[in-house]
Amino acid sequence: MTEAFFTGVAISFSLILAIGAQNAFVLRQGLLRQHCFAVALFCALSDAILITAGVSGLSWFIGDLIKVYSFWTFGLAAVWLIIYGAIHLRSAFRQNQLLLHDLQTERSLLSVLSTAALVTFGNPHVYLDTVVLIGTMSLKFLPNERVLFALGAALASVVFFFTLAYGAQLLAPKMTSQMTWKILDIVIALIMFALALCMLSAGGWFNY
């Protein structure tokens, strides 16, 4: 029984540690000290829902659906990632006044959670990781053990997102210079562009 739980924890951590749009958004909110608890909770609960869906058997349907429509699914995701990266790249080269305005002005909770929903559910890899891969891995366990497997995977997500959000919050006092924020936004933009290329490759766009 404990094997199922800790296997879920290990698999979830290994998948979630990769830097993506969702992680970058949580990190930035933590550094801005804006709605950290709500953002971390939303991302953790979203993962828990998707993990539960995968372990419950939805993995087969989602896996087939993404496979059939992979060309357009990953293509649209790549476009979204490019736009998201461009926004951060633009942010990196804005005037000082605009940067200071962003740091001093707190966005509404609804606006922040809307962006969190977009970076969470707008990425096909979220479904591949949580629903398809974790859901498929759960099949090696007995039905009652799958509950512990799902709990372990969900717990890993909770620990990760809250650690990321509040760990970033501790670093916030060091993020006072414009150059530091420029570097952060450029790094996030480059990561988004790299992920977009991976999406296009996964969708077979380079085969044409």
Side-chain angles (χ1 to χ4, degrees):
M1 297 287 281
T2 55
E3 178 189 355
F5 177 81
F6 287 109
T7 300
V9 171
I11 290 174
S12 184
F13 263 129
S14 65
L15 293 173
I16 206 171
L17 282 174
I19 297 177
Q22 187 186 46
N23 293 359
F25 178 73
V26 175
L27 174 65
R28 202 171 196 275
Q29 287 305 122
L31 292 172
L32 289 172
R33 293 181 169 181
Q34 294 182 9
H35 307 298
C36 296
F37 180 83
V39 169
L41 182 63
F42 178 87
C43 292
L45 288 178
S46 299
D47 274 9
I49 292 171
L50 293 172
I51 289 168
T52 301
V55 174
S56 299
L58 191 61
S59 57
W60 299 107
F61 173 74
I62 293 292
D64 290 340
L65 189 66
I66 291 179
K67 185 176 181 180
V68 171
Y69 298 103
S70 62
F71 184 81
W72 295 110
T73 300
F74 286 101
L76 290 173
V79 171
W80 172 78
L81 286 168
I82 290 171
I83 293 173
Y84 191 68
I87 291 172
H88 280 280
L89 199 59
R90 173 181 172 273
S91 176
F93 295 101
R94 291 184 300 183
Q95 296 179 359
N96 293 3
Q97 292 84 354
L98 291 176
L99 176 65
L100 290 173
H101 180 268
D102 256 11
L103 293 177
Q104 295 170 356
T105 304
E106 183 170 335
R107 293 170 59 192
S108 69
L109 178 61
L110 179 60
S111 173
V112 169
L113 291 184
S114 296
T115 304
L118 184 60
V119 298
T120 299
F121 297 107
N123 183 357
H125 270 296
V126 169
Y127 304 99
L128 288 174
D129 288 348
T130 56
V131 179
V132 179
L133 185 54
I134 291 180
T136 302
M137 288 293 296
S138 71
L139 295 176
K140 65 179 286 190
F141 298 105
L142 297 173
N144 61 320
E145 293 177 324
R146 290 175 197 165
V147 176
L148 288 176
F149 177 85
L151 286 173
L155 178 62
S157 181
V158 171
V159 171
F160 175 82
F161 283 118
F162 275 92
T163 301
L164 180 62
Y166 285 97
Q169 196 175 62
L170 294 175
L171 294 175
K174 300 182 182 299
M175 300 290 291
T176 54
S177 73
Q178 183 188 18
M179 182 56 65
T180 306
W181 279 96
K182 279 188 176 183
I183 293 172
L184 176 66
D185 278 323
I186 290 173
V187 169
I188 292 176
L190 292 176
I191 291 172
M192 296 306 104
F193 295 150
L195 288 174
L197 289 176
C198 291
M199 291 287 182
L200 292 173
S201 178
W205 283 77
F206 297 136
N207 297 333
Y208 293 87

